[in-house]
């Protein structure tokens, strides 16, 4: 089994006694309300998804990540995991104290063992992480709107946030046990934010030609208007796995996380996360984690050159299309036919067909998957 | 924050060989080359096995069964 990132799987979920103790003391502690993205971060830290992070980053790690794409101990890490508060909130907090992190309903989610408060430059953070300070970029826009002060310190999860997708939610500890039970020595991670088309299926099955199993991992949460609803994505993948995959070679579990849209930096982050789940390989597609035209289509693949010490092996796939002459899913490295013979997998076109109530052709989307989407009253986020 | 570096010594003949071998590649300097090789070598060391008690393992298996992931 591949070792977790940093060789240690973090687990910081309080047991019943510890939970009772902190809830009893909670009214006497200062509280900070988290947004949905930070709540996901807290849960991912506590359950080992972000191993070896045990909490929100301090100043030293933050600057190492911005400037060197590594933690201060040289371990690859490309996305700052930070907690921002405004100045007045920061002024109330003392390093060394415990702070209760709550959700919107003021329910305690976690306890922060506050170590440090520090200033930072939002524009520098946006420029270095996203390569732009353009407020049209969703990741940069979020950073530019962050509050003035960052807090660092280890966290302990008081209770896992509720999710309507609990039956698809596994921790790295659980997926590692699952892969062991299945006897998989090599596992390919496949991350997705949308419904499966035949191009996706082809990539997964190509990887299965040499790996023991595929771990399909839809990202849940933080979707934009017009994106497929999470429940539609899960139902369509469930149908695909049931109908077209060997049950013993494919599993699906969600990743509750806000996409940052940081392109190449985020591709490395995805690799680290899949490694923590126990994947030995990860599929990196064209423009993975990109948005608009901010990144070169293959920047998310090229960046892996800089990380020979990641251990998880990236599998780079180009774009696939269906060739009417080859009668199969191919790409330009194996198909000699010209563009008129090619049907490309355009998510926008597939979405438009579905919006018009049409069924995409079976060369694009499996009929069973198309039916799931058509049968859903409103498959897209409002 | 500036990058933190230190100096190490290697034979100059080796430096010349590295300079020749990285010409025309994406590697920008001998230092980058050495850092890459060292990181690669260090990453191959075996990690300590993660200790997981039998009781915890059984709990995880029960949950996986309940969710339908294993029979």
């Amino acid at each position: 089994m591949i070792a977790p990132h940093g060789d240690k799987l973090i687990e910081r979920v309080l047991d019943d006694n510890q939970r009772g103790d902190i809830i009893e003391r909670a009214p006497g502690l200062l509280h900070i309300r988290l947004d949905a993205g930070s709540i996901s971060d807290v849960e991912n830290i506590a359950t080992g998804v972000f191993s070896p992070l045990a909490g929100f980053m301090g100043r030293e790690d933050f600057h190492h990540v911005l400037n060197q794409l590594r933690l201060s101990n040289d371990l690859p890490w490309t996305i700052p995991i930070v907690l921002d508060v405004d100045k007045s909130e920061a002024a109330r907090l003392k390093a060394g104290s415990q702070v209760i992190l709550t959700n919107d309903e003021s329910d305690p989610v976690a306890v922060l063992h506050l170590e440090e408060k520090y200033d930072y430059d939002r524009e520098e953070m946006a420029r270095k992480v996203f390569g732009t300070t353009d407020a049209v970029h969703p990741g940069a826009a979020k950073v530019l709107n962050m509050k003035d002060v960052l807090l660092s310190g280890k966290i302990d999860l008081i209770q896992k946030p509720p999710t309507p997708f609990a039956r698809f939610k596994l921790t790295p500890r659980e997926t590692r046990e699952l892969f062991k039970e299945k006897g998989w020595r090599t596992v390919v991670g496949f991350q997705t934010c949308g419904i499966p088309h035949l191009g996706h299926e082809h990539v997964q099955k190509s990887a299965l030609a040499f790996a023991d199993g595929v771990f399909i991992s839809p990202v849940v949460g933080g979707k934009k208007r017009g994106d497929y609803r999470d429940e539609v994505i899960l139902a369509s993948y469930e149908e695909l796995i049931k109908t077209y995959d060997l049950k013993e070679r494919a599993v699906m579990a969600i990743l509750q996380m806000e996409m940052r849209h940081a392109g190449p930096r985020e591709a490395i982050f995805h690799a680290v996360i899949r490694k923590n789940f126990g994947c030995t390989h990860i599929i990196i597609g064209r423009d993975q984690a990109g948005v608009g035209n901010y990144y070169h289509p293959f920047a998310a693949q090229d960046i892996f050159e800089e990380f020979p010490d990641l251990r998880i092996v990236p599998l780079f796939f180009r774009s696939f299309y269906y060739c009417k002459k080859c009668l199969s899913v191919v790409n330009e490295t194996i198909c000699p036919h010209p563009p008129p013979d090619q049907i490309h997998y355009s998510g926008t076109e597939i979405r438009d067909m579905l919006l018009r109530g049409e069924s995409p052709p079976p060369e694009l989307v499996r009929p069973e998957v198309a039916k799931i989407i058509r049968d859903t009253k409103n498959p897209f986020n409002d | 924050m500036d990058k933190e570096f230190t100096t190490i010594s290697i034979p100059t003949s080796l430096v010349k060989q590295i300079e020749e071998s990285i010409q025309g590649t994406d590697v920008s300097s001998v230092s980058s080359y050495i850092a890459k090789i060292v990181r690669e070598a260090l990453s191959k060391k075996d990690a300590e096995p993660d200790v997981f008690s039998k009781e915890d393992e059984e709990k995880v298996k029960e949950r996986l069964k309940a969710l339908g992931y294993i029979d």
Side-chain angles (χ1 to χ4, degrees):
Chain A
M1 178 69 70
I2 189 170
H5 201 50
D7 293 340
K8 184 172 169 44
L9 198 59
I10 298 297
E11 288 184 297
R12 299 188 67 90
V13 182
L14 297 179
D15 64 27
D16 289 345
N17 288 338
Q18 295 166 321
R19 188 177 302 119
D21 173 58
I22 196 75
I23 286 176
E24 201 175 297
R25 292 192 293 111
L29 300 173
L30 289 172
H31 290 211
I32 295 176
R33 185 171 290 190
L34 302 185
D35 63 17
S38 292
I39 288 177
S40 296
D41 286 347
V42 163
E43 187 179 11
N44 286 331
I45 292 167
T47 55
V49 177
F50 290 173
S51 296
L53 298 191
F56 288 103
M57 285 177 183
R59 187 196 302 263
E60 194 182 1
D61 275 333
F62 173 72
H63 284 288
H64 266 81
V65 168
L66 286 193
N67 296 314
Q68 302 182 37
L69 293 84
R70 290 172 179 273
L71 297 172
S72 53
N73 65 1
D74 203 53
L75 204 58
W77 198 283
T78 48
I79 300 288
I81 303 297
V82 291
L83 177 60
D84 59 314
V85 293
D86 60 37
K87 278 183 181 164
S88 59
E89 215 165 17
R92 294 187 302 134
L93 306 169
K94 278 193 183 145
S97 65
Q98 291 185 329
V99 181
I100 299 293
L101 307 177
T102 74
N103 62 15
D104 261 351
E105 284 81 45
S106 302
D107 302 321
V109 174
V111 56
L112 169 71
H113 306 275
L114 182 60
E115 288 166 20
E116 194 182 1
K117 305 185 273 184
Y118 57 102
D119 299 327
Y120 68 110
D121 182 335
R122 281 178 284 238
E123 286 207 358
E124 180 196 20
M125 182 176 169
R127 192 174 61 252
K128 289 185 171 166
V129 174
F130 302 104
T132 180
T133 53
D134 184 354
V136 175
H137 184 296
K142 181 155 188 188
V143 166
L144 294 172
N145 284 312
M146 279 169 58
K147 295 169 191 163
D148 294 319
V149 180
L150 298 180
L151 305 181
S152 79
K154 294 186 174 69
I155 58 96
D156 288 310
L157 191 69
I158 296 171
Q159 53 192 358
K160 290 186 183 174
T163 166
F165 312 115
R167 77 185 171 104
F168 293 114
K169 196 163 189 179
L170 299 179
T171 65
R173 176 69 79 191
E174 289 164 343
T175 54
R176 285 169 170 272
E177 188 62 34
L178 175 61
F179 301 158
K180 198 171 87 181
E181 277 292 303
K182 286 185 172 289
W184 294 354
R185 295 170 61 113
T186 48
V187 187
V188 180
F190 179 84
Q191 173 162 311
T192 180
C193 294
I195 58 133
H197 56 54
L198 259 74
H200 297 135
E201 189 182 333
H202 186 77
V203 166
Q204 292 162 21
K205 287 182 172 168
S206 299
L208 275 178
F210 68 88
D212 297 327
V214 61
F215 176 53
I216 298 167
S217 176
V219 176
V220 164
K223 292 283 188 322
K224 300 189 299 290
R225 191 175 175 199
D227 288 346
Y228 292 96
R229 286 186 189 280
D230 290 329
E231 51 269 42
V232 174
I233 297 169
L234 293 176
S236 58
Y237 262 101
E238 201 175 19
E239 182 65 31
L240 183 75
I241 292 170
K242 188 178 88 186
T243 316
Y244 291 97
D245 280 320
L246 293 169
K247 193 186 168 200
E248 60 272 23
R249 299 198 61 197
V251 294
M252 175 174 75
I254 60 167
L255 174 63
Q256 183 97 36
M257 186 178 81
E258 238 175 46
M259 289 287 289
R260 270 77 174 174
H261 305 289
R265 274 188 183 246
E266 192 158 354
I268 298 295
F269 187 46
H270 292 172
V272 165
I273 288 172
R274 292 325 177 297
K275 177 180 166 188
N276 285 331
F277 276 109
C279 296
T280 53
H281 298 72
I282 179 168
I283 291 168
I284 301 293
R286 187 182 185 278
D287 201 22
Q288 176 132 345
V291 61
N293 294 317
Y294 287 96
Y295 310 108
H296 183 278
F298 296 107
Q301 300 183 348
D302 295 342
I303 193 174
F304 279 82
E305 270 292 307
E306 295 172 39
F307 298 94
D309 46 343
L310 262 183
R311 292 197 199 174
I312 183 170
V313 179
L315 303 175
F316 301 137
F317 282 89
R318 305 177 78 88
S319 295
F320 285 90
Y321 54 84
Y322 184 84
C323 173
K324 291 186 263 184
K325 285 263 173 59
C326 296
L327 295 178
S328 62
V329 181
V330 292
N331 65 24
E332 72 276 14
T333 62
I334 51 173
C335 166
H337 302 114
D341 294 322
Q342 303 169 4
I343 304 176
H344 285 264
Y345 296 103
S346 158
T348 311
E349 277 180 31
I350 293 171
R351 190 195 325 257
D352 288 347
M353 282 183 208
L354 291 162
L355 276 170
R356 291 195 299 266
E358 297 168 16
S359 273
E363 297 84 9
L364 287 185
V365 178
R366 295 286 192 190
E368 295 85 350
V369 171
K371 184 175 186 309
I372 294 265
I373 301 161
R374 278 200 328 273
D375 289 351
T376 305
K377 193 175 173 194
N378 182 8
F380 303 102
N381 274 331
D382 294 325
Chain B
M1 182 180 287
D2 292 332
K3 288 189 174 186
E4 295 157 359
F5 293 104
T6 189
T7 306
I8 57 165
S9 302
I10 59 168
T12 49
S13 57
L14 201 51
V15 172
K16 281 181 185 154
Q17 283 186 55
I18 297 170
E19 282 170 344
E20 281 171 21
S21 85
I22 63 175
Q23 261 182 14
T25 71
D26 290 342
V27 182
S28 57
S29 65
V30 172
S31 295
S32 307
Y33 179 85
I34 298 288
K36 186 173 177 178
I37 297 294
V38 170
R39 280 171 174 150
E40 200 166 1
L42 290 175
S43 76
K44 286 181 179 150
K45 69 178 173 47
D46 288 332
E48 293 285 316
D50 211 3
V51 182
F52 196 28
S53 75
K54 272 278 160 211
E55 192 188 344
D56 287 342
E57 198 174 308
E58 284 309 313
K59 271 189 203 164
V60 170
K61 279 186 194 166
E62 283 307 312
R63 183 169 140 74
L64 290 171
K65 275 182 196 166
L67 292 172
Y69 281 98
I70 55 177
D71 298 324

